[in-house]
Amino acid sequence: MKNGKKLEGSPEDWTVETLFKDKQSLDLQINPDQFNHIKLVMVEGITVLNDTRIADLCEHRFFIKLDRQTCWERRQHRTYDPEDQEGYFDRYAWPYYHKNLEDLQSTGRTLNYLNGRESIQEHVCQILRAICNSQS
């Protein structure tokens, strides 16, 4: 196989260790050709699912749930232009996160929740499991 090993087992058995070369990278250690039968478009953004035209096109919808501390810590590692002003997080970002989540939940559409404390690699595993399980 040209690009890594053959993925064994069912999607429920897939872990960060079986899918990625190491826990910090997104470099796959498996052969991505194994997923050729899956048509996938990922659309990312905090408000993207609030647009019904987009949300209605999605077979799977994922939302990363965050607690206040994790959200704050993630914002500290980002660069914003213009920069956040003092108090912006408490007055706007955190309350809007909650409003956005409430709006999404009120639509009645199925949302799959990802734990914001988990790694991006773990989120990829969970997304791949959901997609592959729905294909079988």
Side-chain angles (χ1 to χ4, degrees):
M1 218 163 250
K2 63 181 179 186
N3 290 325
K5 65 184 182 185
K6 182 173 178 7
L7 190 56
E8 307 258 340
S10 69
E12 289 78 22
D13 299 328
W14 300 347
T15 65
V16 170
E17 292 78 18
T18 59
L19 293 180
F20 297 98
K21 291 185 178 172
D22 63 66
K23 290 184 179 189
Q24 305 306 313
S25 80
L26 289 175
D27 293 331
L28 291 172
Q29 66 180 1
I30 59 168
N31 184 342
D33 292 340
Q34 295 173 85
F35 298 100
N36 282 345
H37 65 287
I38 296 175
K39 306 244 185 279
L40 176 66
V41 175
M42 292 183 80
V43 182
E44 187 272 341
I46 185 71
T47 61
V48 72
L49 293 175
N50 293 77
D51 185 326
T52 56
R53 296 167 299 174
I54 295 172
D56 289 343
L57 295 172
C58 298
E59 186 174 338
H60 299 278
R61 295 170 206 86
F62 295 90
F63 187 91
I64 298 174
K65 286 187 97 171
L66 296 164
D67 59 68
R68 185 186 182 287
Q69 185 62 34
T70 303
C71 187
W72 171 253
E73 289 169 3
R74 285 182 171 205
R75 285 186 74 84
Q76 301 312 299
H77 298 288
R78 294 196 182 122
T79 302
Y80 294 96
D81 185 16
E83 291 182 13
D84 277 356
Q85 300 301 306
E86 187 174 329
Y88 181 85
F89 178 79
D90 289 321
R91 282 194 304 262
Y92 302 105
W94 184 242
Y96 186 73
Y97 167 84
H98 277 285
K99 168 132 180 36
N100 183 53
L101 178 56
E102 289 170 8
D103 289 349
L104 286 173
Q105 290 171 328
S106 73
T107 67
R109 286 187 192 88
T110 301
L111 283 174
N112 297 289
Y113 295 101
L114 302 172
N115 182 339
R117 290 185 174 193
E118 294 175 337
S119 69
I120 292 170
Q121 292 85 347
E122 182 58 40
H123 291 167
V124 170
C125 289
Q126 292 171 27
I127 291 167
L128 286 174
R129 281 185 211 117
I131 293 169
C132 288
N133 283 335
S134 72
Q135 301 287 313
S136 47

